[in-house]
PDB file of all heavy atoms in Angstrom:
ATOM      1  N   TYR C  11      -0.927  25.262  13.301  1.00  0.00           N
ATOM      2  CA  TYR C  11      -1.354  25.835  14.566  1.00  0.00           C
ATOM      3  C   TYR C  11      -0.824  27.313  14.750  1.00  0.00           C
ATOM      4  O   TYR C  11       0.313  27.408  15.266  1.00  0.00           O
ATOM      5  CB  TYR C  11      -1.060  24.972  15.769  1.00  0.00           C
ATOM      6  CG  TYR C  11      -1.562  23.584  15.491  1.00  0.00           C
ATOM      7  CD1 TYR C  11      -0.828  22.545  14.877  1.00  0.00           C
ATOM      8  CD2 TYR C  11      -2.775  23.238  15.937  1.00  0.00           C
ATOM      9  CE1 TYR C  11      -1.294  21.354  14.662  1.00  0.00           C
ATOM     10  CE2 TYR C  11      -3.318  21.859  15.695  1.00  0.00           C
ATOM     11  CZ  TYR C  11      -2.522  20.978  15.087  1.00  0.00           C
ATOM     12  OH  TYR C  11      -3.005  19.724  14.867  1.00  0.00           O
ATOM     13  N   LEU C  17      -6.054  25.364  19.309  1.00  0.00           N
ATOM     14  CA  LEU C  17      -6.464  24.611  18.143  1.00  0.00           C
ATOM     15  C   LEU C  17      -6.083  25.360  16.910  1.00  0.00           C
ATOM     16  O   LEU C  17      -5.955  26.554  16.921  1.00  0.00           O
ATOM     17  CB  LEU C  17      -8.015  24.426  18.255  1.00  0.00           C
ATOM     18  CG  LEU C  17      -8.565  23.627  19.430  1.00  0.00           C
ATOM     19  CD1 LEU C  17     -10.032  23.451  19.354  1.00  0.00           C
ATOM     20  CD2 LEU C  17      -7.826  22.309  19.577  1.00  0.00           C
ATOM     21  N   ASP C  20      -6.934  22.830   9.627  1.00  0.00           N
ATOM     22  CA  ASP C  20      -6.755  21.795   8.748  1.00  0.00           C
ATOM     23  C   ASP C  20      -6.615  22.372   7.192  1.00  0.00           C
ATOM     24  O   ASP C  20      -7.182  23.390   6.853  1.00  0.00           O
ATOM     25  CB  ASP C  20      -7.836  20.797   8.682  1.00  0.00           C
ATOM     26  CG  ASP C  20      -7.911  20.110  10.088  1.00  0.00           C
ATOM     27  OD1 ASP C  20      -6.893  19.823  10.633  1.00  0.00           O
ATOM     28  OD2 ASP C  20      -9.111  19.801  10.481  1.00  0.00           O
ATOM     29  N   VAL C 118       2.884  11.643  12.014  1.00  0.00           N
ATOM     30  CA  VAL C 118       2.457  10.369  12.537  1.00  0.00           C
ATOM     31  C   VAL C 118       1.763   9.515  11.493  1.00  0.00           C
ATOM     32  O   VAL C 118       1.242  10.066  10.563  1.00  0.00           O
ATOM     33  CB  VAL C 118       1.500  10.544  13.706  1.00  0.00           C
ATOM     34  CG1 VAL C 118       0.104  11.073  13.258  1.00  0.00           C
ATOM     35  CG2 VAL C 118       1.337   9.260  14.635  1.00  0.00           C
ATOM     36  N   GLY C 119       1.756   8.173  11.672  1.00  0.00           N
ATOM     37  CA  GLY C 119       1.159   7.268  10.720  1.00  0.00           C
ATOM     38  C   GLY C 119      -0.221   6.818  11.304  1.00  0.00           C
ATOM     39  O   GLY C 119      -0.376   6.739  12.440  1.00  0.00           O
ATOM     40  N   THR C 120      -1.142   6.505  10.328  1.00  0.00           N
ATOM     41  CA  THR C 120      -2.512   6.247  10.836  1.00  0.00           C
ATOM     42  C   THR C 120      -2.495   4.820  11.476  1.00  0.00           C
ATOM     43  O   THR C 120      -3.290   4.567  12.448  1.00  0.00           O
ATOM     44  CB  THR C 120      -3.414   6.094   9.654  1.00  0.00           C
ATOM     45  OG1 THR C 120      -2.918   5.242   8.609  1.00  0.00           O
ATOM     46  CG2 THR C 120      -3.723   7.526   9.034  1.00  0.00           C
ATOM     47  N   SER C 122      -0.245   3.734  13.517  1.00  0.00           N
ATOM     48  CA  SER C 122       0.117   4.102  14.913  1.00  0.00           C
ATOM     49  C   SER C 122      -0.963   4.642  15.699  1.00  0.00           C
ATOM     50  O   SER C 122      -1.232   4.230  16.879  1.00  0.00           O
ATOM     51  CB  SER C 122       1.323   5.115  14.896  1.00  0.00           C
ATOM     52  OG  SER C 122       2.413   4.559  14.300  1.00  0.00           O
ATOM     53  N   LEU C 123      -1.827   5.491  15.086  1.00  0.00           N
ATOM     54  CA  LEU C 123      -3.092   5.900  15.802  1.00  0.00           C
ATOM     55  C   LEU C 123      -4.001   4.724  16.146  1.00  0.00           C
ATOM     56  O   LEU C 123      -4.587   4.687  17.155  1.00  0.00           O
ATOM     57  CB  LEU C 123      -3.848   6.918  14.885  1.00  0.00           C
ATOM     58  CG  LEU C 123      -3.021   8.163  14.486  1.00  0.00           C
ATOM     59  CD1 LEU C 123      -3.853   9.033  13.515  1.00  0.00           C
ATOM     60  CD2 LEU C 123      -2.612   9.003  15.695  1.00  0.00           C
ATOM     61  N   ARG C 124      -4.016   3.795  15.162  1.00  0.00           N
ATOM     62  CA  ARG C 124      -4.964   2.639  15.475  1.00  0.00           C
ATOM     63  C   ARG C 124      -4.391   1.776  16.488  1.00  0.00           C
ATOM     64  O   ARG C 124      -5.087   1.290  17.394  1.00  0.00           O
ATOM     65  CB  ARG C 124      -5.104   1.763  14.174  1.00  0.00           C
ATOM     66  CG  ARG C 124      -5.991   2.491  13.100  1.00  0.00           C
ATOM     67  CD  ARG C 124      -6.353   1.516  11.968  1.00  0.00           C
ATOM     68  NE  ARG C 124      -5.151   1.043  11.159  1.00  0.00           N
ATOM     69  CZ  ARG C 124      -4.743   1.693  10.106  1.00  0.00           C
ATOM     70  NH1 ARG C 124      -5.277   2.870   9.773  1.00  0.00           N
ATOM     71  NH2 ARG C 124      -3.669   1.334   9.468  1.00  0.00           N
ATOM     72  N   ALA C 125      -3.094   1.653  16.569  1.00  0.00           N
ATOM     73  CA  ALA C 125      -2.415   0.752  17.531  1.00  0.00           C
ATOM     74  C   ALA C 125      -2.555   1.395  18.915  1.00  0.00           C
ATOM     75  O   ALA C 125      -2.729   0.666  19.929  1.00  0.00           O
ATOM     76  CB  ALA C 125      -0.943   0.503  17.175  1.00  0.00           C
ATOM     77  N   LEU C 126      -2.358   2.688  19.019  1.00  0.00           N
ATOM     78  CA  LEU C 126      -2.551   3.352  20.198  1.00  0.00           C
ATOM     79  C   LEU C 126      -4.035   3.201  20.758  1.00  0.00           C
ATOM     80  O   LEU C 126      -4.309   3.119  21.925  1.00  0.00           O
ATOM     81  CB  LEU C 126      -2.201   4.910  20.126  1.00  0.00           C
ATOM     82  CG  LEU C 126      -2.289   5.724  21.445  1.00  0.00           C
ATOM     83  CD1 LEU C 126      -1.519   5.029  22.561  1.00  0.00           C
ATOM     84  CD2 LEU C 126      -1.794   7.099  21.157  1.00  0.00           C
ATOM     85  N   GLY C 127      -4.942   3.458  19.808  1.00  0.00           N
ATOM     86  CA  GLY C 127      -6.348   3.116  20.208  1.00  0.00           C
ATOM     87  C   GLY C 127      -6.606   1.784  20.758  1.00  0.00           C
ATOM     88  O   GLY C 127      -7.221   1.648  21.891  1.00  0.00           O
ATOM     89  N   GLU C 128      -5.938   0.735  20.210  1.00  0.00           N
ATOM     90  CA  GLU C 128      -5.967  -0.641  20.786  1.00  0.00           C
ATOM     91  C   GLU C 128      -5.404  -0.794  22.099  1.00  0.00           C
ATOM     92  O   GLU C 128      -5.922  -1.403  23.030  1.00  0.00           O
ATOM     93  CB  GLU C 128      -5.307  -1.531  19.769  1.00  0.00           C
ATOM     94  CG  GLU C 128      -6.095  -1.765  18.464  1.00  0.00           C
ATOM     95  CD  GLU C 128      -5.268  -2.663  17.532  1.00  0.00           C
ATOM     96  OE1 GLU C 128      -4.154  -3.005  17.800  1.00  0.00           O
ATOM     97  OE2 GLU C 128      -5.782  -2.731  16.383  1.00  0.00           O
ATOM     98  N   LEU C 130      -5.257   1.567  24.234  1.00  0.00           N
ATOM     99  CA  LEU C 130      -6.272   2.226  25.178  1.00  0.00           C
ATOM    100  C   LEU C 130      -7.478   1.404  25.393  1.00  0.00           C
ATOM    101  O   LEU C 130      -8.318   1.680  26.344  1.00  0.00           O
ATOM    102  CB  LEU C 130      -6.774   3.545  24.564  1.00  0.00           C
ATOM    103  CG  LEU C 130      -5.691   4.737  24.453  1.00  0.00           C
ATOM    104  CD1 LEU C 130      -6.332   5.911  23.755  1.00  0.00           C
ATOM    105  CD2 LEU C 130      -5.266   5.117  25.872  1.00  0.00           C
ATOM    106  N   ASP C 132      -9.802   0.790  22.955  1.00  0.00           N
ATOM    107  CA  ASP C 132     -10.849   1.334  22.215  1.00  0.00           C
ATOM    108  C   ASP C 132     -10.988   0.732  20.861  1.00  0.00           C
ATOM    109  O   ASP C 132      -9.988   0.225  20.288  1.00  0.00           O
ATOM    110  CB  ASP C 132     -10.704   2.919  21.976  1.00  0.00           C
ATOM    111  CG  ASP C 132     -10.677   3.709  23.212  1.00  0.00           C
ATOM    112  OD1 ASP C 132     -11.257   3.120  24.275  1.00  0.00           O
ATOM    113  OD2 ASP C 132     -10.166   4.813  23.346  1.00  0.00           O
ATOM    114  N   ALA C 133     -12.182   0.760  20.260  1.00  0.00           N
ATOM    115  CA  ALA C 133     -12.399   0.180  18.926  1.00  0.00           C
ATOM    116  C   ALA C 133     -11.882   1.134  17.888  1.00  0.00           C
ATOM    117  O   ALA C 133     -11.483   0.681  16.755  1.00  0.00           O
ATOM    118  CB  ALA C 133     -13.880  -0.134  18.746  1.00  0.00           C
ATOM    119  N   ASP C 134     -11.828   2.433  18.288  1.00  0.00           N
ATOM    120  CA  ASP C 134     -11.361   3.314  17.176  1.00  0.00           C
ATOM    121  C   ASP C 134      -9.932   3.810  17.458  1.00  0.00           C
ATOM    122  O   ASP C 134      -9.428   3.804  18.525  1.00  0.00           O
ATOM    123  CB  ASP C 134     -12.258   4.591  17.231  1.00  0.00           C
ATOM    124  CG  ASP C 134     -13.733   4.260  16.893  1.00  0.00           C
ATOM    125  OD1 ASP C 134     -13.922   3.548  16.053  1.00  0.00           O
ATOM    126  OD2 ASP C 134     -14.690   4.830  17.611  1.00  0.00           O
ATOM    127  N   PRO C 135      -9.263   4.363  16.369  1.00  0.00           N
ATOM    128  CA  PRO C 135      -7.986   4.987  16.579  1.00  0.00           C
ATOM    129  C   PRO C 135      -8.021   6.135  17.538  1.00  0.00           C
ATOM    130  O   PRO C 135      -9.108   6.828  17.713  1.00  0.00           O
ATOM    131  CB  PRO C 135      -7.636   5.431  15.108  1.00  0.00           C
ATOM    132  CG  PRO C 135      -8.485   4.725  14.325  1.00  0.00           C
ATOM    133  CD  PRO C 135      -9.734   4.539  14.954  1.00  0.00           C
ATOM    134  N   VAL C 136      -6.982   6.405  18.199  1.00  0.00           N
ATOM    135  CA  VAL C 136      -6.886   7.634  19.011  1.00  0.00           C
ATOM    136  C   VAL C 136      -7.070   8.821  18.090  1.00  0.00           C
ATOM    137  O   VAL C 136      -6.607   8.809  16.968  1.00  0.00           O
ATOM    138  CB  VAL C 136      -5.541   7.749  19.852  1.00  0.00           C
ATOM    139  CG1 VAL C 136      -4.398   8.037  18.848  1.00  0.00           C
ATOM    140  CG2 VAL C 136      -5.678   8.735  20.864  1.00  0.00           C
ATOM    141  N   ASP C 137      -7.784   9.818  18.600  1.00  0.00           N
ATOM    142  CA  ASP C 137      -8.027  10.980  17.692  1.00  0.00           C
ATOM    143  C   ASP C 137      -6.745  11.818  17.558  1.00  0.00           C
ATOM    144  O   ASP C 137      -6.151  12.222  18.541  1.00  0.00           O
ATOM    145  CB  ASP C 137      -9.145  11.991  18.385  1.00  0.00           C
ATOM    146  CG  ASP C 137      -9.782  12.848  17.408  1.00  0.00           C
ATOM    147  OD1 ASP C 137      -8.958  13.621  16.808  1.00  0.00           O
ATOM    148  OD2 ASP C 137     -10.939  13.036  17.374  1.00  0.00           O
ATOM    149  N   VAL C 138      -6.383  12.071  16.204  1.00  0.00           N
ATOM    150  CA  VAL C 138      -5.112  12.660  16.081  1.00  0.00           C
ATOM    151  C   VAL C 138      -5.035  14.090  16.459  1.00  0.00           C
ATOM    152  O   VAL C 138      -3.967  14.666  16.673  1.00  0.00           O
ATOM    153  CB  VAL C 138      -4.831  12.662  14.448  1.00  0.00           C
ATOM    154  CG1 VAL C 138      -5.764  13.546  13.739  1.00  0.00           C
ATOM    155  CG2 VAL C 138      -3.352  12.960  14.198  1.00  0.00           C
ATOM    156  N   ARG C 139      -6.248  14.670  16.727  1.00  0.00           N
ATOM    157  CA  ARG C 139      -6.299  16.045  17.255  1.00  0.00           C
ATOM    158  C   ARG C 139      -5.603  16.137  18.605  1.00  0.00           C
ATOM    159  O   ARG C 139      -5.094  17.243  19.025  1.00  0.00           O
ATOM    160  CB  ARG C 139      -7.715  16.595  17.369  1.00  0.00           C
ATOM    161  CG  ARG C 139      -8.404  16.803  16.098  1.00  0.00           C
ATOM    162  CD  ARG C 139      -9.802  17.261  16.205  1.00  0.00           C
ATOM    163  NE  ARG C 139     -10.607  16.148  16.615  1.00  0.00           N
ATOM    164  CZ  ARG C 139     -11.942  16.231  16.907  1.00  0.00           C
ATOM    165  NH1 ARG C 139     -12.545  17.375  16.675  1.00  0.00           N
ATOM    166  NH2 ARG C 139     -12.653  15.197  17.306  1.00  0.00           N
ATOM    167  N   ARG C 140      -5.499  15.072  19.431  1.00  0.00           N
ATOM    168  CA  ARG C 140      -4.838  15.023  20.674  1.00  0.00           C
ATOM    169  C   ARG C 140      -3.344  15.249  20.516  1.00  0.00           C
ATOM    170  O   ARG C 140      -2.631  15.677  21.382  1.00  0.00           O
ATOM    171  CB  ARG C 140      -5.134  13.779  21.436  1.00  0.00           C
ATOM    172  CG  ARG C 140      -6.505  13.557  21.858  1.00  0.00           C
ATOM    173  CD  ARG C 140      -6.630  12.551  22.989  1.00  0.00           C
ATOM    174  NE  ARG C 140      -8.126  12.475  23.407  1.00  0.00           N
ATOM    175  CZ  ARG C 140      -8.748  13.184  24.245  1.00  0.00           C
ATOM    176  NH1 ARG C 140      -8.009  14.267  24.712  1.00  0.00           N
ATOM    177  NH2 ARG C 140     -10.084  12.981  24.576  1.00  0.00           N
ATOM    178  N   LEU C 141      -2.875  14.817  19.309  1.00  0.00           N
ATOM    179  CA  LEU C 141      -1.468  14.709  19.115  1.00  0.00           C
ATOM    180  C   LEU C 141      -0.815  16.022  18.358  1.00  0.00           C
ATOM    181  O   LEU C 141       0.363  16.249  18.270  1.00  0.00           O
ATOM    182  CB  LEU C 141      -0.988  13.492  18.319  1.00  0.00           C
ATOM    183  CG  LEU C 141      -1.459  12.148  18.960  1.00  0.00           C
ATOM    184  CD1 LEU C 141      -1.059  10.961  18.154  1.00  0.00           C
ATOM    185  CD2 LEU C 141      -1.023  12.067  20.325  1.00  0.00           C
ATOM    186  N   ARG C 142      -1.774  16.706  17.639  1.00  0.00           N
ATOM    187  CA  ARG C 142      -1.466  18.054  17.062  1.00  0.00           C
ATOM    188  C   ARG C 142      -0.194  17.907  16.029  1.00  0.00           C
ATOM    189  O   ARG C 142       0.742  18.693  16.074  1.00  0.00           O
ATOM    190  CB  ARG C 142      -1.140  19.080  18.152  1.00  0.00           C
ATOM    191  CG  ARG C 142      -2.292  19.223  19.103  1.00  0.00           C
ATOM    192  CD  ARG C 142      -1.903  19.982  20.384  1.00  0.00           C
ATOM    193  NE  ARG C 142      -1.373  21.289  20.089  1.00  0.00           N
ATOM    194  CZ  ARG C 142      -2.126  22.342  19.710  1.00  0.00           C
ATOM    195  NH1 ARG C 142      -3.360  22.217  19.547  1.00  0.00           N
ATOM    196  NH2 ARG C 142      -1.591  23.491  19.536  1.00  0.00           N
ATOM    197  N   LYS C 143      -0.342  17.039  15.148  1.00  0.00           N
ATOM    198  CA  LYS C 143       0.683  16.743  14.099  1.00  0.00           C
ATOM    199  C   LYS C 143       0.492  17.640  12.906  1.00  0.00           C
ATOM    200  O   LYS C 143      -0.686  17.988  12.551  1.00  0.00           O
ATOM    201  CB  LYS C 143       0.641  15.328  13.707  1.00  0.00           C
ATOM    202  CG  LYS C 143       0.820  14.251  14.816  1.00  0.00           C
ATOM    203  CD  LYS C 143       2.132  14.526  15.494  1.00  0.00           C
ATOM    204  CE  LYS C 143       2.322  13.310  16.528  1.00  0.00           C
ATOM    205  NZ  LYS C 143       3.488  13.494  17.337  1.00  0.00           N
ATOM    206  N   VAL C 146      -0.156  13.723   8.607  1.00  0.00           N
ATOM    207  CA  VAL C 146      -0.636  12.411   9.010  1.00  0.00           C
ATOM    208  C   VAL C 146      -0.461  11.556   7.636  1.00  0.00           C
ATOM    209  O   VAL C 146      -0.999  12.035   6.615  1.00  0.00           O
ATOM    210  CB  VAL C 146      -2.091  12.344   9.437  1.00  0.00           C
ATOM    211  CG1 VAL C 146      -2.544  10.994   9.754  1.00  0.00           C
ATOM    212  CG2 VAL C 146      -2.222  13.345  10.629  1.00  0.00           C
ATOM    213  N   ARG C 184       5.688  12.548  24.451  1.00  0.00           N
ATOM    214  CA  ARG C 184       4.412  13.348  24.659  1.00  0.00           C
ATOM    215  C   ARG C 184       4.303  13.829  26.116  1.00  0.00           C
ATOM    216  O   ARG C 184       5.020  13.363  27.038  1.00  0.00           O
ATOM    217  CB  ARG C 184       3.248  12.432  24.250  1.00  0.00           C
ATOM    218  CG  ARG C 184       3.174  11.973  22.886  1.00  0.00           C
ATOM    219  CD  ARG C 184       3.263  13.092  21.879  1.00  0.00           C
ATOM    220  NE  ARG C 184       2.328  14.192  22.152  1.00  0.00           N
ATOM    221  CZ  ARG C 184       2.203  15.255  21.351  1.00  0.00           C
ATOM    222  NH1 ARG C 184       2.824  15.270  20.279  1.00  0.00           N
ATOM    223  NH2 ARG C 184       1.421  16.159  21.702  1.00  0.00           N
ATOM    224  N   MET C 187      -0.519  17.512  27.528  1.00  0.00           N
ATOM    225  CA  MET C 187      -1.399  18.133  26.463  1.00  0.00           C
ATOM    226  C   MET C 187      -2.206  17.078  25.871  1.00  0.00           C
ATOM    227  O   MET C 187      -3.329  17.408  25.396  1.00  0.00           O
ATOM    228  CB  MET C 187      -0.545  18.972  25.488  1.00  0.00           C
ATOM    229  CG  MET C 187       0.168  20.110  26.052  1.00  0.00           C
ATOM    230  SD  MET C 187      -0.956  21.513  26.264  1.00  0.00           S
ATOM    231  CE  MET C 187      -1.229  21.993  24.594  1.00  0.00           C
ATOM    232  N   THR C 188      -1.800  15.862  25.611  1.00  0.00           N
ATOM    233  CA  THR C 188      -2.480  14.826  25.021  1.00  0.00           C
ATOM    234  C   THR C 188      -3.790  14.426  25.719  1.00  0.00           C
ATOM    235  O   THR C 188      -4.689  13.849  25.160  1.00  0.00           O
ATOM    236  CB  THR C 188      -1.668  13.586  24.899  1.00  0.00           C
ATOM    237  OG1 THR C 188      -1.140  13.038  26.127  1.00  0.00           O
ATOM    238  CG2 THR C 188      -0.428  13.846  23.984  1.00  0.00           C
ATOM    239  N   THR C 189      -3.835  14.749  27.029  1.00  0.00           N
ATOM    240  CA  THR C 189      -4.978  14.275  27.926  1.00  0.00           C
ATOM    241  C   THR C 189      -6.041  15.327  28.043  1.00  0.00           C
ATOM    242  O   THR C 189      -7.104  15.127  28.560  1.00  0.00           O
ATOM    243  CB  THR C 189      -4.450  13.989  29.239  1.00  0.00           C
ATOM    244  OG1 THR C 189      -4.056  15.077  30.042  1.00  0.00           O
ATOM    245  CG2 THR C 189      -3.234  13.007  29.176  1.00  0.00           C
ATOM    246  N   GLN C 190      -5.750  16.551  27.723  1.00  0.00           N
ATOM    247  CA  GLN C 190      -6.662  17.649  28.106  1.00  0.00           C
ATOM    248  C   GLN C 190      -7.825  17.849  27.065  1.00  0.00           C
ATOM    249  O   GLN C 190      -7.691  17.450  25.928  1.00  0.00           O
ATOM    250  CB  GLN C 190      -5.874  18.968  28.168  1.00  0.00           C
ATOM    251  CG  GLN C 190      -4.800  19.000  29.217  1.00  0.00           C
ATOM    252  CD  GLN C 190      -3.974  20.265  29.317  1.00  0.00           C
ATOM    253  OE1 GLN C 190      -4.116  21.094  28.536  1.00  0.00           O
ATOM    254  NE2 GLN C 190      -3.068  20.273  30.304  1.00  0.00           N
ATOM    255  N   GLN C 192     -10.390  19.402  24.601  1.00  0.00           N
ATOM    256  CA  GLN C 192     -10.504  20.300  23.557  1.00  0.00           C
ATOM    257  C   GLN C 192     -11.971  20.492  23.107  1.00  0.00           C
ATOM    258  O   GLN C 192     -12.819  19.766  23.533  1.00  0.00           O
ATOM    259  CB  GLN C 192      -9.720  19.802  22.353  1.00  0.00           C
ATOM    260  CG  GLN C 192      -8.241  19.369  22.554  1.00  0.00           C
ATOM    261  CD  GLN C 192      -7.563  18.907  21.253  1.00  0.00           C
ATOM    262  OE1 GLN C 192      -8.015  19.146  20.157  1.00  0.00           O
ATOM    263  NE2 GLN C 192      -6.538  18.206  21.469  1.00  0.00           N
ATOM    264  N   LEU C 193     -12.198  21.471  22.260  1.00  0.00           N
ATOM    265  CA  LEU C 193     -13.510  21.532  21.710  1.00  0.00           C
ATOM    266  C   LEU C 193     -13.887  20.287  20.985  1.00  0.00           C
ATOM    267  O   LEU C 193     -13.032  19.696  20.248  1.00  0.00           O
ATOM    268  CB  LEU C 193     -13.543  22.644  20.559  1.00  0.00           C
ATOM    269  CG  LEU C 193     -13.437  24.145  21.165  1.00  0.00           C
ATOM    270  CD1 LEU C 193     -13.520  25.071  19.964  1.00  0.00           C
ATOM    271  CD2 LEU C 193     -14.588  24.407  22.024  1.00  0.00           C
ATOM    272  N   GLU C 194     -15.001  19.539  21.345  1.00  0.00           N
ATOM    273  CA  GLU C 194     -15.458  18.352  20.715  1.00  0.00           C
ATOM    274  C   GLU C 194     -14.583  17.103  21.243  1.00  0.00           C
ATOM    275  O   GLU C 194     -14.896  15.952  20.852  1.00  0.00           O
ATOM    276  CB  GLU C 194     -15.406  18.293  19.210  1.00  0.00           C
ATOM    277  CG  GLU C 194     -16.176  19.469  18.734  1.00  0.00           C
ATOM    278  CD  GLU C 194     -16.033  19.614  17.156  1.00  0.00           C
ATOM    279  OE1 GLU C 194     -15.320  18.718  16.541  1.00  0.00           O
ATOM    280  OE2 GLU C 194     -16.762  20.520  16.606  1.00  0.00           O
ATOM    281  N   LEU C 195     -13.711  17.306  22.198  1.00  0.00           N
ATOM    282  CA  LEU C 195     -12.847  16.157  22.767  1.00  0.00           C
ATOM    283  C   LEU C 195     -12.886  16.237  24.243  1.00  0.00           C
ATOM    284  O   LEU C 195     -12.418  17.357  24.763  1.00  0.00           O
ATOM    285  CB  LEU C 195     -11.471  16.137  22.257  1.00  0.00           C
ATOM    286  CG  LEU C 195     -11.258  15.548  20.777  1.00  0.00           C
ATOM    287  CD1 LEU C 195      -9.745  15.596  20.486  1.00  0.00           C
ATOM    288  CD2 LEU C 195     -11.707  14.111  20.654  1.00  0.00           C
ATOM    289  N   PRO C 196     -13.367  15.234  25.002  1.00  0.00           N
ATOM    290  CA  PRO C 196     -13.234  15.344  26.482  1.00  0.00           C
ATOM    291  C   PRO C 196     -11.841  15.032  27.002  1.00  0.00           C
ATOM    292  O   PRO C 196     -11.025  14.624  26.242  1.00  0.00           O
ATOM    293  CB  PRO C 196     -14.249  14.236  26.856  1.00  0.00           C
ATOM    294  CG  PRO C 196     -14.104  13.189  25.856  1.00  0.00           C
ATOM    295  CD  PRO C 196     -13.875  14.010  24.520  1.00  0.00           C
ATOM    296  N   ASP C 198      -8.999  13.029  28.706  1.00  0.00           N
ATOM    297  CA  ASP C 198      -8.757  11.596  28.771  1.00  0.00           C
ATOM    298  C   ASP C 198      -7.381  11.366  29.302  1.00  0.00           C
ATOM    299  O   ASP C 198      -6.340  11.302  28.595  1.00  0.00           O
ATOM    300  CB  ASP C 198      -8.940  10.926  27.300  1.00  0.00           C
ATOM    301  CG  ASP C 198      -8.930   9.393  27.291  1.00  0.00           C
ATOM    302  OD1 ASP C 198      -8.594   8.885  28.431  1.00  0.00           O
ATOM    303  OD2 ASP C 198      -9.355   8.918  26.292  1.00  0.00           O
ATOM    304  N   ARG C 200      -6.176   8.631  30.149  1.00  0.00           N
ATOM    305  CA  ARG C 200      -5.549   7.338  29.776  1.00  0.00           C
ATOM    306  C   ARG C 200      -4.540   7.522  28.717  1.00  0.00           C
ATOM    307  O   ARG C 200      -3.601   6.514  28.658  1.00  0.00           O
ATOM    308  CB  ARG C 200      -6.637   6.385  29.082  1.00  0.00           C
ATOM    309  CG  ARG C 200      -7.846   6.052  30.043  1.00  0.00           C
ATOM    310  CD  ARG C 200      -8.950   5.332  29.245  1.00  0.00           C
ATOM    311  NE  ARG C 200      -9.309   6.167  28.059  1.00  0.00           N
ATOM    312  CZ  ARG C 200      -9.692   5.419  26.923  1.00  0.00           C
ATOM    313  NH1 ARG C 200      -9.891   4.143  26.921  1.00  0.00           N
ATOM    314  NH2 ARG C 200     -10.092   6.234  25.854  1.00  0.00           N
ATOM    315  N   VAL C 201      -4.481   8.499  27.885  1.00  0.00           N
ATOM    316  CA  VAL C 201      -3.571   8.626  26.781  1.00  0.00           C
ATOM    317  C   VAL C 201      -2.173   8.714  27.291  1.00  0.00           C
ATOM    318  O   VAL C 201      -1.260   7.896  26.821  1.00  0.00           O
ATOM    319  CB  VAL C 201      -3.877   9.883  25.869  1.00  0.00           C
ATOM    320  CG1 VAL C 201      -2.872  10.012  24.774  1.00  0.00           C
ATOM    321  CG2 VAL C 201      -5.319   9.663  25.379  1.00  0.00           C
ATOM    322  N   VAL C 213       5.037   8.924  20.603  1.00  0.00           N
ATOM    323  CA  VAL C 213       4.199   8.570  19.385  1.00  0.00           C
ATOM    324  C   VAL C 213       4.478   9.658  18.303  1.00  0.00           C
ATOM    325  O   VAL C 213       4.500  10.826  18.680  1.00  0.00           O
ATOM    326  CB  VAL C 213       2.746   8.451  19.792  1.00  0.00           C
ATOM    327  CG1 VAL C 213       2.081   9.756  20.241  1.00  0.00           C
ATOM    328  CG2 VAL C 213       1.893   8.021  18.409  1.00  0.00           C
TER     329      VAL C 213
END
Side-chain angles (χ1 to χ4, degrees):
Y11 304 88
L17 302 181
D20 292 326
V118 72
T120 55
S122 300
L123 300 177
R124 292 191 293 271
L126 181 53
E128 291 172 1
L130 292 172
D132 295 339
D134 297 322
V136 70
D137 196 309
V138 72
R139 289 176 292 179
R140 293 198 182 278
L141 306 181
R142 301 168 58 75
K143 304 298 189 190
V146 182
R184 303 304 314 186
M187 292 285 285
T188 60
T189 72
Q190 295 181 356
Q192 303 181 21
L193 290 178
E194 303 175 359
L195 282 181
D198 190 344
R200 300 176 306 153
V201 178
V213 59

